[in-house]
């Protein structure tokens, strides 16, 4: 994942860089450096974003489990 893909994914998930930093315990300047390409994005970041994207569906399933 490069900085542009990172920023696009944040936009898609309606997250600001600040919010992502707060969620992950990452410093705001670190997140900014990822977004601008000044620092490489660690492997865990795309994995975190994929998992975060699944949260609404997991909540829906938990609150409204499929009827048998």
């Amino acid at each position: 994942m490069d900085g542009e893909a990172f920023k696009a994914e944040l936009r898609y998930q309606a997250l600001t860089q600040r919010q992502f930093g707060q969620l992950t315990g990452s410093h705001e300047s670190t997140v900014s450096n990822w977004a601008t390409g000044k620092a490489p994005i660690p492997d865990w970041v795309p994995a975190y974003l994929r998992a975060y994207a699944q949260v609404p569906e997991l909540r829906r399933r938990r609150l409204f489990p499929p009827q048998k």
Side-chain angles (χ1 to χ4, degrees):
M1 173 177 276
D2 64 10
E4 289 304 314
F6 176 61
K7 289 188 289 189
E9 188 62 27
L10 290 180
R11 279 192 303 275
Y12 177 75
Q13 295 197 36
L15 287 171
T16 65
Q17 291 179 26
R18 175 176 282 172
Q19 289 169 326
F20 184 79
Q22 290 170 339
L23 285 169
T24 61
S26 302
H27 195 275
E28 200 172 325
S29 64
T30 300
V31 177
S32 176
N33 286 340
W34 296 338
T36 60
K38 291 180 182 175
I41 297 172
D43 292 338
W44 64 265
V45 171
Y48 184 95
L49 288 167
R50 283 190 301 274
Y52 186 82
Q54 295 177 14
V55 169
E57 178 62 17
L58 294 172
R59 282 186 179 152
R60 188 189 66 75
R61 286 184 187 179
R62 173 107 173 148
L63 294 174
F64 307 104
Q67 300 297 317
K68 294 184 181 188

